[in-house]
């Protein structure tokens, strides 16, 4: 057995171990988007349909920028050249907004919390 084989085996063992622990979070691919595939497709089609509309794109509430990167990749791939600005309070939703979304729009409060561990930097 040469070193390369050992290295491949060692990596396989480490990966196998990781899959049996909470480290699976880092070892396996996971869906990081807050949108379904169909919703992301809809957003892409919005960018396509408005490609000739002058002015920048605004994403209000970008959190960690996962969708921002996805949509920017789509714009680059399709040759859509316009500025893309991502906004966020970096403090999560204020209580009044959480109350509105849960009371008036039937969303789970738990879906609206937990966006505070991100910073502009
Ligand atoms: C559901 S997350 C956004 C997820 C992001 N669009 C994505 O696809 O990954 C909602 C974000 O909106 C932000 N937010 C809440 N109220 C806001 C406001 N008034 N203006 C800008 N951002 C806001 C929160 O801090 C949070 O990061």
């Amino acid at each position: 057995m040469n070193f390369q084989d050992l290295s491949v085996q060692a990596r396989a063992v480490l990966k196998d171990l990781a899959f049996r622990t909470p480290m699976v979070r880092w070892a396996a691919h996971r869906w990081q988007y807050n949108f379904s595939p169909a919703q992301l497709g809809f957003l892409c089609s919005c960018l396509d349909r408005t490609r000739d509309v002058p002015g920048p794109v605004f994403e209000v509430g970008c959190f960690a920028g996962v969708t921002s990167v996805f949509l920017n990749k789509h714009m680059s791939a399709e040759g859509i050249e316009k500025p893309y600005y991502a906004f966020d309070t970096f403090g999560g939703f204020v209580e009044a907004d959480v109350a509105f979304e849960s009371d008036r729009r039937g969303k789970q409060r738990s879906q609206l919390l937990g966006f505070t561990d991100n910073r502009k930097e």
Side-chain angles (χ1 to χ4, degrees), residues 34-35 59-63 66-67 87-93 115:
N34 277 297
F35 293 111
E59 179 184 352
V60 180
C62 62
F63 188 46
V66 174
T67 301
F87 293 93
D88 208 287
T89 58
F90 300 102
F93 290 103
F115 294 105

Side-chain angles (χ1 to χ4, degrees), residues 16 24 32 36 39 46-47 54 58 61 63-65 69 72-74 77 85 95 99 101 103 106 110 112 118:
D16 197 45
V24 67
Q32 297 187 51
S36 68
Q39 289 171 324
C46 290
L47 291 169
F58 293 94
F63 188 46
V69 171
N72 272 266
K73 191 77 177 170
H74 174 73
Y85 296 107
E95 175 51 32
E101 293 295 325
D103 299 346
S110 58
L112 303 163
N118 196 29

